[in-house]
Amino acid sequence: MGKLWGGRFSGVTDELMKRFNDSIGFDHRLFRSDIQGSAAYAAALAESGVITQQEAEMIRDGLDKVRLEFESESFEIQPGDEDIHTAVERRLSELVGPVAGKLHTGRSRNDQVATDTRLYLLSEISKLGLAVKQVQAAILTQSEHHIGVVMPGYTHLQQAQPLLFSHWLMSYFWKLERDNGRLADLKKRTSTLPLGSGALAGNPFGIDRASLAEKLGLAGITENSVDAVSDRDFLAEFLAWASILQVHLSGLAEDLIIWSSREFGFLQIDEAYATGSSLMPQKRNPDSLELVRGKTGRVVGHLFGLLMTLKGLPSSYNKDLQEDKEGLFDVIDSLSVELPVVEGVIRTLNVNVERMSASLDDSVLATDMADYLVRNGVPFRRSHELVGKAVKRSEQLGVSLRDLPLREYQHIDNAFGEDVNGIFDFRASLEARDVRGGTATASVREQFHRARECLEQT
Ligand code: ARG
């Protein structure tokens, strides 16, 4: 069988042009959704009387066989198979004969590929959504397990205030929870049927698009055929989702990488997720997390790539749109491995509890000292300045705030009383922050409760 569009051509396609034009090398992975869409379309053609029920059945039986060939990896791609759509139709006609030629009535590869990609993405979204939830579950489990552990919290990578380790870790749970929300939201718009838009003008055979959508499990149908064949917003949204997710994961990776260095020593990545050096025998490198961080450039790059492809296209379908797939597949492939790896890293994380609390410097209590002065009637701006002076003095004398003599404090201001010592308690500092969303144990336990509720929702 020759090309599907060969009728008006008399010359042959240049060999390099053929390689350049073909997408079968990557879009074969749409086979399942292509066949699913075609089976539903055959039923719609029969319903509107374009083909008989018997013909529709022959087509559907044939399509089933084609699908089985793909699933058992026995499908043989032929040199004339330009893309997944032509490959499936070519094989169908070999299996069921000339009736296969009726399937494409009123349909174009333009509305077909848009439908296939949406169906494909929807099934991938479900898997990725689950994988994100598993990362969240690992975060929650580790946080619950380490509820008592105190560590320095950082801003600008400088010690800032004491935190519960669990409070820090849970911060990533909520980032991922927003990612879940974005995924659910883009899923709604992806779940729209372009089939029935034809090449760009619509379908002249009275196809019932609403019932087609229902058959394919899609929530709605597109309202404008010109828009429908060119709309790739759902892919841009997906890649934007993946990009934001990557930014979250790379932040988590960076925290864990730096904290697993000898200088911090707060934690250790399990050997299952680390690698050694070919030269330096002592090395145990957090490659898993470096790759997580590194994938970010690649994923965000695919978002930019797609947006550049879409920018300034003339109306309706243009072949540029074929470029929408490889980036998409690459992002899905990356995340499908990356998310379970992140889950594993967190699940097996070794936390050095002593090292974390031992690294707390008294200066992380400076805010508490200022708050102490506020309670003694000093306005906050003034107390901030007085404590700043105390910090400076302690640095001059080379002692910690705790060891700065009372007379030095009182030399700065009489508002410092003997009871200033009472603030030197890391635990008390964090327990004081018992607002909802704060780092106090009770607040963090409340977070666990809400987090569990989120995980239980499907
Ligand atoms: N392989 C094409 C794609 O991925 C299918 C649509 C082709 N349409 C066309 N008019 N040539 O976009």
Side-chain angles (χ1 to χ4, degrees):
M1 191 173 129
K3 291 186 188 75
L4 291 172
W5 38 263
R8 63 102 64 224
F9 285 80
S10 44
V12 287
T13 311
D14 176 83
E15 252 325 293
L16 273 181
M17 167 55 193
K18 188 179 151 356
R19 252 172 64 191
F20 193 51
N21 187 52
D22 287 357
S23 54
I24 187 71
F26 49 87
D27 68 12
H28 58 85
R29 68 160 96 186
L30 297 176
F31 78 87
R32 205 172 268 112
S33 49
D34 191 75
I35 288 169
Q36 189 192 359
S38 286
Y41 192 68
L45 285 174
E47 269 163 40
S48 62
V50 179
I51 60 175
T52 65
Q53 287 295 349
Q54 201 196 352
E55 287 174 322
E57 254 162 57
M58 284 172 72
I59 290 175
R60 265 175 297 162
D61 287 348
L63 286 169
D64 266 346
K65 290 193 183 115
V66 180
R67 183 173 44 78
L68 288 176
E69 288 187 6
F70 271 104
E71 281 170 356
S72 61
E73 286 170 29
S74 61
F75 187 96
E76 280 176 33
I77 291 170
Q78 300 299 328
D81 294 344
E82 185 180 322
D83 52 27
I84 183 62
H85 326 293
T86 53
V88 170
E89 196 178 325
R90 187 264 309 154
R91 184 65 185 135
L92 180 68
S93 74
E94 287 168 5
L95 291 169
V96 303
V99 67
K102 297 191 176 188
L103 172 62
H104 212 53
T105 313
R107 187 175 69 167
S108 158
R109 280 182 293 160
N110 300 354
D111 57 349
Q112 189 179 359
V113 72
T115 305
D116 290 5
T117 314
R118 284 173 187 265
L119 291 173
Y120 169 80
L121 183 58
L122 283 170
S123 80
E124 295 300 322
I125 280 176
S126 315
K127 292 183 238 165
L128 291 174
L130 273 180
V132 172
K133 287 216 171 224
Q134 268 151 17
V135 176
Q136 287 179 292
I139 289 176
L140 180 56
T141 306
Q142 280 288 23
S143 302
E144 286 177 329
H145 185 70
H146 289 98
I147 183 65
V149 178
V150 183
M151 67 176 293
Y154 295 82
T155 63
H156 312 267
L157 212 53
Q158 307 287 324
Q159 288 204 10
Q161 291 181 329
L163 283 184
L164 282 184
F165 168 76
S166 310
H167 192 52
W168 162 77
L169 185 53
M170 283 300 288
S171 70
Y172 285 97
F173 181 99
W174 300 107
K175 291 178 197 297
L176 297 179
E177 188 56 21
R178 292 194 295 279
D179 291 326
N180 286 336
R182 271 183 285 273
L183 194 65
D185 195 52
L186 77 91
K187 188 172 165 181
K188 283 187 238 155
R189 281 179 295 279
T190 304
S191 187
T192 310
L193 178 86
L195 200 56
S197 299
L200 81 165
N203 184 299
F205 289 100
I207 295 297
D208 182 348
R209 297 189 64 214
S211 105
L212 244 185
E214 208 182 297
K215 252 186 218 114
L216 291 170
L218 298 174
I221 58 180
T222 56
E223 295 294 348
N224 181 303
S225 57
V226 178
D227 175 42
V229 295
S230 65
D231 176 15
R232 297 294 184 273
D233 293 3
F234 65 102
L235 295 181
E237 284 190 58
F238 173 75
L239 296 177
W241 169 81
S243 298
I244 297 174
L245 171 66
Q246 275 297 148
V247 169
H248 292 156
L249 295 178
S250 69
L252 173 63
E254 173 59 17
D255 276 351
L256 296 176
I257 288 167
I258 196 156
W259 291 352
S260 68
S261 66
R262 179 174 294 279
E263 285 67 21
F264 274 87
F266 285 3
L267 29 91
Q268 214 178 18
I269 310 299
D270 193 86
E271 283 192 4
Y273 298 98
T275 61
S277 158
S278 56
L279 175 69
M280 299 165 282
Q282 85 282 14
K283 294 279 272 189
R284 173 158 158 174
N285 297 327
D287 293 38
S288 51
L289 295 167
E290 292 166 75
L291 283 168
V292 169
R293 193 176 55 188
K295 295 277 178 209
T296 310
R298 173 171 180 161
V299 171
V300 176
H302 287 313
L303 168 65
F304 280 26
L306 177 70
L307 290 174
M308 289 307 98
T309 297
L310 297 178
K311 179 194 169 292
L313 283 186
S315 277
S316 92
Y317 183 85
N318 297 273
K319 196 59 172 270
D320 314 48
L321 292 174
Q322 180 165 286
E323 292 294 316
D324 65 356
K325 289 173 204 62
E326 285 157 291
L328 171 72
F329 297 156
D330 187 57
V331 167
I332 290 169
D333 289 346
S334 298
L335 283 175
S336 311
V337 180
E338 183 182 348
L339 286 165
V341 166
V342 173
E343 191 236 307
V345 169
I346 295 169
R347 196 169 23 80
T348 58
L349 207 58
N350 233 306
V351 180
N352 191 339
V353 177
E354 286 73 37
R355 187 68 193 250
M356 276 190 186
S357 54
S359 73
L360 278 156
D361 186 79
D362 283 351
S363 62
V364 298
L365 298 169
T367 315
D368 299 82
M369 191 180 278
D371 294 345
Y372 156 85
L373 290 177
V374 165
R375 291 194 178 93
N376 284 358
V378 182
F380 180 73
R381 277 292 148 239
R382 172 105 184 110
S383 71
H384 185 284
E385 197 190 332
L386 296 178
V387 176
K389 284 183 177 163
V391 170
K392 189 173 171 191
R393 188 69 185 136
S394 74
E395 280 174 7
Q396 276 169 355
L397 298 177
V399 294
S400 81
L401 272 183
R402 196 184 300 248
D403 296 328
L404 191 66
L406 183 61
R407 66 184 138 70
E408 291 286 348
Y409 279 107
Q410 291 185 332
H411 184 70
I412 294 167
D413 198 286
N414 273 333
F416 286 106
E418 212 166 332
D419 56 351
V420 68
N421 269 330
I423 67 121
F424 293 112
D425 182 342
F426 299 117
R427 188 89 209 188
S429 162
L430 68 87
E431 294 300 357
R433 284 152 177 93
D434 60 355
V435 282
R436 180 152 163 208
T439 190
T441 307
S443 304
V444 174
R445 283 198 195 281
E446 204 180 323
Q447 258 186 83
F448 293 164
H449 178 69
R450 285 172 209 287
R452 204 150 283 296
E453 280 176 356
C454 292
L455 287 182
E456 277 156 15
Q457 283 163 17
T458 43

